[in-house]
Amino acid sequence: MNKPVLIALLLLAAPAAQAAGIPALTLETAANGSQSWSLSLQVLALMTAVTLLPALLLTMTSFTRIVIVLGLLRQALGTGQTPSNQILVGLALFLSLFVMSPVLGKIHGDAVQPYLDGKLEFQPALANAEKPLRAFMLAQTREVDLLTFTRLSGRDEPYVEAADVPFTVLAASFLTSELTTAFQIGFLIFVPFVVIDLVVSSVLMSLGMMMLSPMLISLPFKLMLFVMVDGWSLTMSMLAASFKVAAL
């Protein structure tokens, strides 16, 4: 990494480190009087944690279910790469922020702001931030998935209290449950479009037009049906309503 890029990264990391009370840069004086700047290991750990944010977004929020359902919807419509992946991911991101807004607000009010104000230490703030996220994940997690990963962790008996479930077990159970729910919703979305494909294919076969692709004829009908029922609004409202409200 060249020197200008390194300096830019240090300048970007410095405000966040100062807000958290961490010395971003330290000035060291050598025996011969020369001086050099060194990056704090704490800031390095902070920058490493920032790189994990995409993984946290994918595995511990509503993003997984939403983006999978939108991808299956695009396949059911048969529109190829329209809408593009960037549009679907952006739509899933903003809908995830809408769904997760109560959780994020609770985390900010109980953990982030008190920590920045110096009213809480790091460990209590982290514990406060974990509680609403854990409650949201538990509300969406299926009991069978939780029992499966409990057994895989080496424990024979299920956990009595939700607070006793290790976060690793909860995260794996939550992600598996989200995949299952997303595919169930995707199946329901596929059904009406498959019916249209079957009807169009049967009509073309009865007319002897076997060389004409049924997808070419059925696509306008699927688009017309989707627009007539206000499909995007219906899909977004259905996805938002599919998440169980957790007691935060």
Side-chain angles (χ1 to χ4, degrees):
M1 182 181 296
N2 55 35
K3 187 176 296 185
V5 175
L6 179 59
I7 294 175
L9 290 176
L10 295 179
L11 291 177
L12 290 175
Q18 292 173 359
I22 301 173
L25 295 172
T26 57
L27 181 62
E28 297 180 351
T29 304
N32 58 2
S34 62
Q35 294 179 335
S36 62
W37 292 93
S38 64
L39 181 64
S40 172
L41 290 178
Q42 293 176 321
V43 176
L44 182 60
L46 179 63
M47 296 174 63
T48 303
V50 170
T51 62
L52 298 177
L53 288 179
L56 299 179
L57 173 66
L58 290 174
T59 57
M60 292 191 291
T61 66
S62 58
F63 182 84
T64 301
R65 181 191 305 186
I66 295 172
V67 76
I68 291 177
V69 170
L70 293 180
L72 292 175
L73 172 61
R74 184 176 64 180
Q75 292 186 20
L77 286 171
T79 56
Q81 293 299 314
T82 303
S84 64
N85 291 331
Q86 292 84 349
I87 295 177
L88 292 185
V89 170
L91 185 59
L93 178 60
F94 282 107
L95 186 58
S96 298
L97 291 176
F98 174 78
V99 173
M100 299 293 297
S101 58
V103 179
L104 297 177
K106 186 72 172 177
I107 292 175
H108 183 268
D110 293 349
V112 177
Q113 195 61 46
Y115 176 69
L116 294 179
D117 293 340
K119 299 178 181 179
L120 283 179
E121 297 295 331
F122 178 75
Q123 290 297 337
L126 183 62
N128 289 349
E130 181 183 343
K131 291 178 182 178
L133 185 60
R134 175 185 285 269
F136 172 81
M137 295 171 66
L138 280 172
Q140 322 307 321
T141 303
R142 301 169 186 271
E143 184 177 355
V144 62
D145 294 327
L146 191 59
L147 292 175
T148 298
F149 283 97
T150 299
R151 290 194 298 268
L152 289 177
S153 66
R155 181 185 174 92
D156 297 329
E157 297 295 329
Y159 292 96
V160 179
E161 298 293 336
D164 297 334
V165 180
F167 206 81
T168 53
V169 174
L170 177 59
S173 305
F174 169 76
L175 186 58
T176 304
S177 298
E178 287 296 282
L179 291 174
T180 303
T181 304
F183 277 85
Q184 289 179 344
I185 297 175
F187 170 78
L188 297 177
I189 291 176
F190 255 94
V191 170
F193 299 113
V194 171
V195 171
I196 293 178
D197 288 334
L198 290 176
V199 171
V200 171
S201 179
S202 300
V203 171
L204 292 178
M205 289 290 291
S206 63
L207 294 177
M209 304 174 66
M210 293 177 292
M211 300 301 295
L212 183 62
S213 173
M215 293 295 297
L216 185 64
I217 305 300
S218 63
L219 179 57
F221 290 99
K222 289 190 289 187
L223 292 178
M224 181 179 64
L225 173 65
F226 192 69
V227 171
M228 287 179 60
V229 299
D230 197 9
W232 287 113
S233 177
L234 185 63
T235 302
M236 294 298 104
S237 59
M238 176 268 299
L239 279 173
S242 67
F243 291 95
K244 297 178 181 179
V245 179
L248 304 179

